[in-house]
């Protein structure tokens, strides 16, 4: 089972780096999707008003929910339900009007596969995440490998976590920063 210990690249580290820089005092929500867990930090000052570790990491969610290769529609539905249960309690706790940030390489890969041009900093709209998710889910329902990602249930789990987080937490985009941002 993957470790659930926080990584040095968790949301709180990105949040702190952003609040220490030119975004100081801004409403920020940072998202990190790790292997064993995900983390969310949100607030408007040097210390986040919300810091949560969620047991819905890419590998943990893949192991628990995505049991077939390629994942079936039922596998994906199970992953969605698991992620929704984990993030629902956060809906009213985020800093009002915050912008969503990440420095995750997995989310960067989603952006690239969704058609964004590779850049050190990218902005991924929720619509592009949804379109890419629909391609992956549509192929799963058809019983075919999803967009060339066969063998990588962790990637599918990351996509589900990102999609559900953006939808249920009300973000219309996510800013993807270089990991050199912190």
């Amino acid at each position: 089972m993957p470790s659930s210990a926080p990584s040095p690249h968790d949301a709180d580290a990105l949040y702190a780096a952003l609040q220490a820089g030119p975004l100081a005092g801004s409403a920020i929500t940072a998202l990190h999707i790790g292997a064993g867990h995900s983390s969310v930090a949100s607030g408007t000052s040097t210390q986040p008003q919300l810091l949560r570790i969620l047991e819905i990491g890419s590998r943990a969610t893949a192991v628990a929910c995505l049991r077939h290769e390629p994942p079936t529609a039922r596998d994906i539905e199970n992953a969605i339900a698991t992620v929704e249960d984990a993030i629902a309690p956060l809906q009213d706790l985020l800093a009002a009007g915050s912008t969503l940030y990440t420095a995750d390489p997995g989310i960067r890969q989603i952006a690239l596969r969704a058609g964004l041009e590779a850049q050190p900093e990218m902005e991924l709209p929720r619509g592009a995440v949804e379109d890419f998710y629909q391609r992956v889910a549509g192929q799963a329902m058809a019983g075919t490998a999803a967009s060339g990602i066969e063998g990588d249930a962790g990637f599918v789990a990351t996509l589900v976590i990102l999609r559900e987080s953006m939808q249920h937490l009300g973000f219309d985009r996510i800013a993807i920063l270089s990991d050199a941002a912190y």
Side-chain angles (χ1 to χ4, degrees):
M1 181 59 93
S3 168
S4 63
S7 133
H9 296 291
D10 275 343
D12 56 336
L14 177 59
Y15 177 89
L18 293 171
Q19 284 293 356
L23 296 176
S26 298
I28 293 171
T29 298
L31 171 67
H32 170 72
I33 302 173
H37 71 279
S38 294
S39 58
V40 176
S42 186
T44 58
S45 63
T46 55
Q47 295 297 315
Q49 70 191 40
L50 168 76
L51 176 58
R52 292 285 164 80
I53 306 291
L54 308 170
E55 298 302 321
I56 54 168
S58 59
R59 188 159 303 141
T61 302
V63 168
C65 303
L66 305 176
R67 300 174 183 250
H68 299 92
E69 179 55 44
T72 65
R74 182 155 185 98
D75 288 346
I76 292 175
E77 289 170 13
N78 289 338
I80 289 170
T82 298
V83 172
E84 286 175 346
D85 288 348
I87 63 171
L90 306 180
Q91 289 176 323
D92 298 324
L93 303 176
L94 301 177
S98 63
T99 300
L100 184 61
Y101 291 90
T102 193
D104 285 11
I107 295 175
R108 178 172 291 279
Q109 284 302 311
I110 289 169
L112 295 172
R113 291 184 183 190
L116 268 64
E117 182 179 324
Q119 299 176 31
E121 295 185 11
M122 298 185 283
E123 193 169 284
L124 180 60
R126 183 169 64 193
V129 173
E130 184 62 27
D131 290 346
F132 184 60
Y133 167 81
Q134 291 300 328
R135 288 195 323 248
V136 171
Q139 291 178 353
M141 287 182 213
T144 60
S147 298
I149 55 176
E150 55 188 283
D152 195 353
F155 182 85
V156 175
T158 299
L159 176 59
V160 169
I161 294 167
L162 176 61
R163 175 188 184 245
E164 296 305 311
S165 295
M166 291 180 77
Q167 279 187 352
H168 293 283
L169 299 178
F171 292 103
D172 63 354
R173 61 188 167 81
I174 185 169
I176 305 166
L177 307 176
S178 162
D179 63 2
Y182 63 109

